[in-house]
Amino acid sequence: MSLTAEVAVIGAGPAGLAAALALERLGIAVAMVSPPYDAARVATDGRTTALIGPSVELLKNLGVWQRCAVDAAPLNAVRIADDREAMVRAPEVVFDACELGLESF
């Protein structure tokens, strides 16, 4: 089988999917290269994706945010902690959206 595309997007994570969709909306032929979808692996992955304002705006402009919003929750604070078992560790830092006058990041 032969496939012709102007752009190849490598990876079907959040960034790759958004890039492929945006390029397709511009009329650019896109090929997405990614391992096959494995529902069992995805179900046990456990990772999350944090999206800040501009990323949400991009998804709204692409017309897909409504489908994502059902599983979304506001990001009100970000905590950075040094969880190494070292003798000297960096102090924990918390960034709170309300400190910037925002409801969420």
Side-chain angles (χ1 to χ4, degrees):
M1 169 166 60
S2 175
L3 177 67
T4 302
E6 295 174 78
V7 175
V9 174
I10 311 302
L17 289 170
L21 188 53
L23 290 165
E24 184 272 336
R25 297 277 165 90
L26 292 171
I28 297 170
V30 179
M32 179 163 276
V33 180
S34 175
Y37 179 78
D38 180 351
R41 184 180 60 80
V42 170
T44 59
D45 188 309
R47 291 182 291 175
T48 61
T49 299
L51 302 174
I52 58 174
S55 298
V56 173
E57 287 303 312
L58 171 65
L59 295 177
K60 285 179 181 177
N61 291 337
L62 292 173
V64 297
W65 175 247
Q66 286 182 319
R67 293 175 67 183
C68 301
V70 236
D71 296 314
L75 180 61
N76 302 321
V78 176
R79 180 175 67 97
I80 300 174
D82 182 352
D83 71 346
R84 298 174 301 145
E85 298 294 326
M87 291 269 284
V88 177
R89 296 175 17 179
E92 182 177 296
V93 179
V94 177
F95 298 97
D96 200 314
C98 69
E99 293 174 346
L100 299 172
L102 301 172
E103 189 174 309
S104 65
F105 290 110

